[in-house]
Amino acid sequence: QVQLVESGGGLVQPGGSLRLSCVLSKSNFRIYAMGWYRQAPGNQREWVAVETSSGTRYIESVKDRFTISRDNAKNTVYLQMNSLKPEDTAVYYCNCAGPLPSYRGLWDWGQGTQVTVSS
């Protein structure tokens, strides 16, 4: 059973930045493709950013604003979010990313971290 613990969310004004972290209780972390996902009220969960052996991918709406990265030594995945917009408001989750096209999460979901962008 893999445990995923997300943190770093909060309330931020439009244009602000946040850095999300996700710590995994998983050995050999480096071999897994990892992703960040989000779910806004009334919406389905969607992938936002993934990092695979082939590189990184982002949904169009966050390109050039969000950056996914990892620290294998710390079993941690990060999501740097800049130039935040109200439409980025959601609960953010990390997970092992499955294959295209959905990159669906392959492990049990963690509790997520709330990001609220509002003035």
Side-chain angles (χ1 to χ4, degrees):
Q1 184 83 3
V2 179
Q3 288 189 326
L4 303 165
V5 180
E6 300 93 346
S7 63
L11 173 63
V12 63
Q13 291 187 342
S17 298
L18 285 173
R19 188 194 195 202
L20 306 184
S21 300
C22 172
V23 179
L24 295 79
S25 63
K26 184 68 175 176
S27 59
N28 297 322
F29 162 62
R30 68 187 67 235
I31 70 174
Y32 296 101
M34 294 299 298
W36 280 95
Y37 305 76
R38 68 185 180 188
Q39 186 169 20
N43 291 353
Q44 290 189 338
R45 186 151 39 202
E46 62 175 351
W47 72 272
V48 173
V50 294
E51 184 184 80
T52 71
S53 57
S54 301
T56 56
R57 290 193 68 195
Y58 302 89
I59 57 171
E60 191 64 34
S61 62
V62 308
K63 279 183 181 178
D64 300 323
R65 298 190 298 122
F66 289 12
T67 303
I68 186 173
S69 62
R70 68 168 72 192
D71 185 334
N72 290 328
K74 295 182 178 180
N75 272 23
T76 302
V77 186
Y78 302 100
L79 185 68
Q80 178 67 44
M81 306 187 296
N82 299 327
S83 302
L84 282 161
K85 304 176 180 180
E87 51 263 43
D88 295 319
T89 295
V91 180
Y92 283 72
Y93 305 84
C94 71
N95 209 317
C96 178
L100 286 166
S102 66
Y103 291 124
R104 67 181 182 88
L106 299 181
W107 299 332
D108 290 341
W109 296 95
Q111 84 288 350
T113 186
Q114 176 70 49
V115 172
T116 303
V117 185
S118 174
S119 55

